[in-house]
Amino acid sequence: MCLPGKISASMMCASLLNLEDDIRQLEKAGVEYLHIDIMDGVFVPNIMLSNSFIRAVRSITGLPLDIHLMITQPENKLEWFDIQENDIVAIHYESTSNVEGTLQMIGHLGAHPAVALSPATPIEVISYLLEDLYMVNIMAVNPGFSGRTMVPMTLQKINDTRDFLNRKGKTDIMIEADGNVTFEHAMEMRKAGADMFVGGSSSLFDPRYSITEAVTRLRNSIL
Ligand code: DX5
Ligand code: ZN
C-alpha cells in the first residue's frame, strides 16, 4: 500500500519578483504544499528565507507549508516562526542533541513533525522516533543549495526507508524526496517508495516549462 503522491513546491526556487503570481499558478495547478527552506548559514553554508517570508506567503495563500529547518538547535527557535496547524515542520537529525524533544514541541504546536536526514545519515537513526514522526525527508542532495545533483545512494536509501517503515508497521509515515527532483528522478523515487516530492529548480521552476506544465509533468511522474 503506498500513500498518494504529493507535491511540495520549493519556494526558494520561486521568483521573488513575481512571488504572488508563482504561488497562484502553483495553487491553481493543485500542489499540496509549499516547501519553505530556512537556512541559518551555520548548519548549512547558506542563508535562505525567513519568518517574514513565511508571513508574506501566508498573506497570499492558505496552502499548508512544508517547513524545512536547516538551522542549529531548532528547539530554541521554533517560536520564531509562524507555524500553524496542518503545516509540516522538519528538523535535521544532525542539527540538535534533542531530536525527540523537538519533534514533541512541533506536535504541541499543532503541526506535523518530520525529520530530515542528510545523505550520509543512516536511516536507523529514526528507530526510536517512529511514534513522533509524520514524515521523513530523505535529502537527495547535501543540504544548503538548489541546483545540486542527486547523490548516488539516494534511491537505495528511499527504498531502505520504505522497507524499514513497512517492517515497523508504519506505512502511514510519509517519505519526502528533497533535492534534484527532476521529472525522471521523481519516477524512480516514487518506485523506491517516496510519497512527497519537493519540486524545485529541477522540475517546477525549470525555465523550459510554465509552472502549470511543470506541475502536470511532475504529477504524471509520481502517479
Ligand atoms: C536544498 C533544499 C531543497 C531545494 C531543492 O537544501 O532543501 O528543498 O530547494 O531545489 P532543487 O530542486 O533545485 O534541488
Ligand atoms: Zn528543502
Side-chain angles (χ1 to χ4, degrees):
M1 187 275 277
C2 62
L3 302 168
K6 294 184 177 172
I7 296 174
S8 186
S10 174
M11 289 292 95
M12 73 178 274
C13 303
S15 158
L16 281 184
L17 298 179
N18 302 298
L19 184 64
E20 178 162 2
D21 185 50
D22 280 6
I23 290 177
R24 294 264 177 264
Q25 288 187 62
L26 289 163
E27 200 169 23
K28 196 155 169 273
V31 303
E32 285 87 354
Y33 287 87
L34 298 180
H35 189 81
I36 310 283
D37 290 304
I38 303 281
M39 302 178 188
D40 64 2
V42 178
F43 180 70
V44 290
N46 193 7
I47 291 180
M48 182 52 67
L49 304 185
S50 64
N51 190 48
S52 313
F53 183 87
I54 287 176
R55 288 192 188 286
V57 169
R58 291 215 197 272
S59 71
I60 297 168
T61 177
L63 278 176
L65 304 185
D66 168 29
I67 300 170
H68 178 191
L69 295 176
M70 288 164 272
I71 63 177
T72 57
Q73 283 144 1
E75 65 271 26
N76 302 330
K77 304 166 185 171
L78 289 178
E79 75 274 7
W80 294 4
F81 300 99
D82 175 17
I83 293 170
Q84 294 186 10
E85 281 196 26
N86 299 324
D87 289 345
I88 298 172
V89 179
I91 58 167
H92 263 266
Y93 180 83
E94 310 86 359
S95 68
T96 172
S97 55
N98 184 12
V99 175
E100 199 281 333
T102 311
L103 293 173
Q104 290 264 357
M105 290 176 201
I106 294 167
H108 294 149
L109 290 171
H112 298 299
V115 70
L117 305 182
S118 292
T121 303
I123 62 167
E124 287 74 17
V125 300
I126 68 171
S127 299
Y128 303 106
L129 300 172
L130 300 180
E131 293 308 316
D132 300 297
L133 282 177
Y134 180 80
M135 183 175 84
V136 184
N137 174 334
I138 300 294
M139 288 302 296
V141 299
N142 287 295
F145 296 89
S146 64
R148 285 185 158 173
T149 304
M150 181 168 80
V151 302
M153 294 293 289
T154 298
L155 297 176
Q156 184 61 55
K157 189 172 182 180
I158 292 172
N159 189 274
D160 292 349
T161 305
R162 180 44 68 203
D163 284 351
F164 179 83
L165 291 171
N166 290 350
R167 280 200 312 276
K168 299 284 184 182
K170 294 293 180 184
T171 53
D172 58 331
I173 294 181
M174 283 203 292
I175 296 174
E176 180 172 54
D178 187 2
N180 196 212
V181 179
T182 63
F183 303 119
E184 298 71 29
H185 286 163
M187 230 177 269
E188 295 167 290
M189 291 162 162
R190 179 68 168 155
K191 270 190 226 135
D195 324 286
M196 179 85 94
F197 301 83
V198 176
S201 66
S202 315
S203 52
L204 300 189
F205 300 98
D206 180 332
R208 292 174 296 175
Y209 309 102
S210 72
I211 285 177
T212 308
E213 282 170 298
V215 171
T216 304
R217 287 175 68 104
L218 185 56
R219 185 70 70 189
N220 290 337
S221 296
I222 62 174
L223 291 176

